[in-house]
Amino acid sequence: MGKLIGGSIAVVLIVSCLASASAPKRRQVRFADVTKQARVRIVGDGHGVAVNDYDGDRFIDIYVATKDPANSTLLHNCGDGTFKNVTESAGVVVKAGQLHGNAWGDFDRNGRLGLYVGNWNDEAPTPNTLFEQNADGTFRNANAEAGISDLPPTNSHGVLVGDFDNDGWLDIFAGASRTTPLLLHNNGDGTFRDDRVRSRMAYSYRSQFMSTVDWDEDGRLDIFVSSLPGGGAVNRLYHNLGDGVFEDIGAKTALGEGAFQGGRFADFDNDGHLDLVAPDEWSWVPWGYFVNRGGRLKEIGKDNGLYRGPDLVHALAVGDYDNDGRLDIFMATEAGETALFCNQGGNRFKQANAGLPPLPGAKAGSFFDYDNDGWLDIFVAVSRSPCRLFRNLRGSNHWLKVKLVGTRSNRDGIGARLLLKAGGLTQMREVSGGSGHQQDPFIQHFGLGKSTKVHQLIVKWPGGEKQTLTDLTGDRTVLVEEK
């Protein structure tokens, strides 16, 4: 895979962490602001970001949704360290509304990613848009052919994709401002069915953060939805009962309260269960880190070293930026304060003296390896100034990336769980279909620390089948096709 980088480094950001007794010594990792060199020119109310390799050239591309649809941008990764704005030429154009959540997915199983864009505009509600990709890399508005052009607008702040009935076809979930959320069942013939009533989902006022997550580890994707307080709003954890029917169990969990604007489900303590970081937008204390104790959530945000500053967190990203085998957390507040928290092990974090610049109006963020050098970079969508790209200048640790291709399961592997054993650590990832107005790459990134070998990689597909690979060499990308 390519490692070409274009342009000179303008601003170098130093990141260092002190080691704790439970974590190996950290190597210094540096970031550089390469926004201009990479030709990432996006200005104007950036609210949502989805990063994935939409054209299959092995380089991650970027789509940014903005409140002014004229500024929404598809950036094609040229593979030489730069991006090209292909919004118009690719046909990914929305002319009205306010764009927020968006998500990639191979909806028709043809090996090409489509894009679903949520439209949130309370004053003049506008329908969401499904773009399907043509064979030449361009896109078409597929609302009519998919049978969803007559659906009423839902004021969608966030959207997700996932195969909620495990039939191998990706479905779509879109949050709603003043009505029941939209669940579109993929019929497998290019059309979708409105399953809002059948799914038994309930209204939740101005839904914000949401995520696909197999919470009870039964092989079926559940959905968590957080809403702003007021209007009778409650947070909902939709437990998937099978066949596209859900039960709201949010009130029975620690997730029933809180106004979570952004967040990520991830295994921060390497115990094989999904924890949650989702800072409370309406709280002035560091509330919103939930550790998973075998299916029971416990909030320990006041005690684990996480602190988000004196303002409301909008952008949040999770990734192993130093490749030490533990997932770290990046946060940016509405006022612009940025923070990078190094995972010290044992559900403890230490804020790095990163030197990251203030990013007022930061709305969404993602860790992803845009230059294919094996080190996670940071992209931040910003609403009142240019969006920013920070390149990871690398350390000395090793890594492995895993790309899944489903055959019986959905082709993107959404909902699959990966268990990796290397260097004395066991790491777990679940391929996510999105986190509301943010979607990370489907390709999974693992830091290996000083280990150059992976002892074992287990892939549990959504349908329940398992594949095991052993004795893998690190510092490369492994393709795993479902058998």
Side-chain angles (χ1 to χ4, degrees):
M1 300 182 72
K3 298 182 181 179
L4 300 175
I5 307 299
S8 59
I9 302 303
V11 181
V12 176
L13 309 173
I14 307 299
V15 180
S16 62
C17 285
L18 298 178
S20 70
S22 60
K25 184 178 181 180
R26 301 271 198 268
R27 289 292 187 266
Q28 187 180 77
V29 176
R30 300 179 297 164
F31 284 83
D33 186 342
V34 295
T35 306
K36 292 182 179 179
Q37 294 90 332
R39 301 177 184 175
V40 177
R41 302 187 182 99
I42 307 174
V43 181
D45 290 325
H47 271 69
V49 60
V51 290
N52 258 305
D53 176 15
Y54 78 83
D55 56 353
D57 66 355
R58 299 188 298 179
F59 286 90
I60 302 296
D61 311 294
I62 306 171
Y63 179 78
V64 176
T66 64
K67 288 184 69 175
D68 179 356
N71 292 324
S72 294
T73 303
L74 175 60
L75 291 176
H76 175 256
N77 192 328
C78 299
D80 60 358
T82 67
F83 291 82
K84 180 181 180 181
N85 186 338
V86 296
T87 312
E88 294 286 343
S89 60
V92 187
V93 176
V94 180
K95 297 183 178 180
Q98 297 178 355
L99 308 188
H100 277 68
N102 51 100
W104 298 97
D106 187 355
F107 302 107
D108 50 12
R109 298 181 59 89
N110 64 359
R112 299 189 295 268
L113 291 182
L115 178 68
Y116 188 79
V117 180
N119 209 317
W120 184 52
N121 188 346
D122 282 347
E123 293 76 23
T126 308
N128 300 339
T129 305
L130 172 64
F131 291 102
E132 288 284 21
Q133 187 177 169
N134 304 311
D136 62 359
T138 62
F139 293 79
R140 66 187 184 277
N141 184 325
N143 279 8
E145 64 186 78
I148 58 177
S149 58
D150 293 332
L151 291 177
T154 54
N155 305 97
S156 297
H157 185 276
V159 299
L160 311 168
V161 297
D163 182 6
F164 299 112
D165 54 1
N166 283 344
D167 64 355
W169 299 86
L170 282 182
D171 311 304
I172 300 171
F173 176 86
S177 178
R178 294 188 175 93
T179 184
T180 304
L182 183 65
L183 181 64
L184 298 178
H185 172 265
N186 192 328
N187 295 319
D189 59 1
T191 65
F192 290 81
R193 181 183 71 215
D194 182 358
D195 263 8
R196 276 178 290 187
V197 175
R198 183 175 178 275
S199 67
R200 302 178 189 173
M201 290 184 174
Y203 161 72
S204 193
Y205 176 69
R206 294 189 67 177
S207 54
Q208 301 289 304
F209 165 57
M210 56 194 68
S211 184
T212 57
V213 55
D214 182 7
W215 184 247
D216 52 357
E217 301 175 12
D218 64 355
R220 296 190 295 265
L221 280 178
D222 310 302
I223 302 174
F224 173 65
V225 180
S226 168
S227 297
L228 289 182
V234 294
N235 295 339
R236 302 188 185 277
L237 178 58
Y238 291 112
H239 176 221
N240 192 335
L241 301 178
D243 197 28
V245 178
F246 295 80
E247 176 190 10
D248 177 20
I249 61 171
K252 302 176 183 179
T253 73
L255 300 179
E257 297 180 356
F260 308 121
Q261 181 65 247
R264 291 290 193 282
F265 283 96
D267 182 13
F268 293 103
D269 51 9
N270 290 344
D271 69 348
H273 302 291
L274 289 173
D275 311 302
L276 171 66
V277 57
D280 190 339
E281 184 177 3
W282 289 70
S283 175
W284 298 102
V285 296
W287 164 273
Y289 183 87
F290 299 85
V291 64
N292 187 339
R293 302 299 191 196
R296 298 189 65 180
L297 290 170
K298 181 180 180 181
E299 207 289 321
I300 60 171
K302 303 177 185 64
D303 307 316
N304 67 349
L306 284 178
Y307 179 68
R308 60 177 179 75
D311 196 51
L312 311 179
V313 170
H314 241 81
L316 186 147
V318 167
D320 185 2
Y321 80 90
D322 52 3
N323 280 338
D324 70 345
R326 294 181 172 90
L327 289 171
D328 311 300
I329 301 170
F330 167 81
M331 293 184 189
T333 69
E334 177 69 13
E337 181 182 5
T338 57
L340 185 60
F341 295 95
C342 298
N343 190 333
Q344 305 289 291
N347 287 302
R348 294 291 303 173
F349 294 83
K350 184 175 182 64
Q351 185 168 347
N353 182 20
L356 290 166
L359 298 171
K363 294 293 185 181
S366 180
F367 278 108
F368 70 101
D369 182 12
Y370 86 93
D371 51 6
N372 283 347
D373 66 353
W375 292 79
L376 291 175
D377 312 297
I378 303 174
F379 178 84
V380 184
V382 185
S383 67
R384 296 192 295 271
S385 59
C387 298
R388 305 290 281 276
L389 176 65
F390 300 99
R391 184 190 169 214
N392 190 328
L393 298 184
R394 308 169 59 178
S396 58
N397 288 334
H398 299 279
W399 52 274
L400 186 80
K401 291 192 283 188
V402 183
K403 177 178 173 57
L404 301 183
V405 178
T407 54
R408 293 184 299 277
S409 304
N410 67 89
R411 283 187 59 88
D412 302 317
I414 296 172
R417 288 202 170 193
L418 297 83
L419 199 68
L420 180 142
K421 298 180 180 181
L425 285 178
T426 300
Q427 304 177 54
M428 188 271 283
R429 303 283 190 274
E430 181 174 292
V431 183
S432 174
S435 296
H437 56 290
Q438 303 167 127
Q439 187 194 53
D440 295 326
F442 298 142
I443 192 168
Q444 299 300 296
H445 181 106
F446 294 88
L448 304 181
K450 299 307 174 187
S451 178
T452 61
K453 299 285 186 180
V454 171
H455 171 63
Q456 186 181 66
L457 173 67
I458 300 173
V459 178
K460 182 180 179 181
W461 295 92
E465 297 296 324
K466 291 184 179 180
Q467 286 177 246
T468 302
L469 292 78
T470 58
D471 299 324
L472 300 173
T473 302
D475 298 331
R476 66 190 180 107
T477 298
V478 175
L479 177 68
V480 181
E481 185 171 1
E482 186 179 17
K483 293 182 179 179

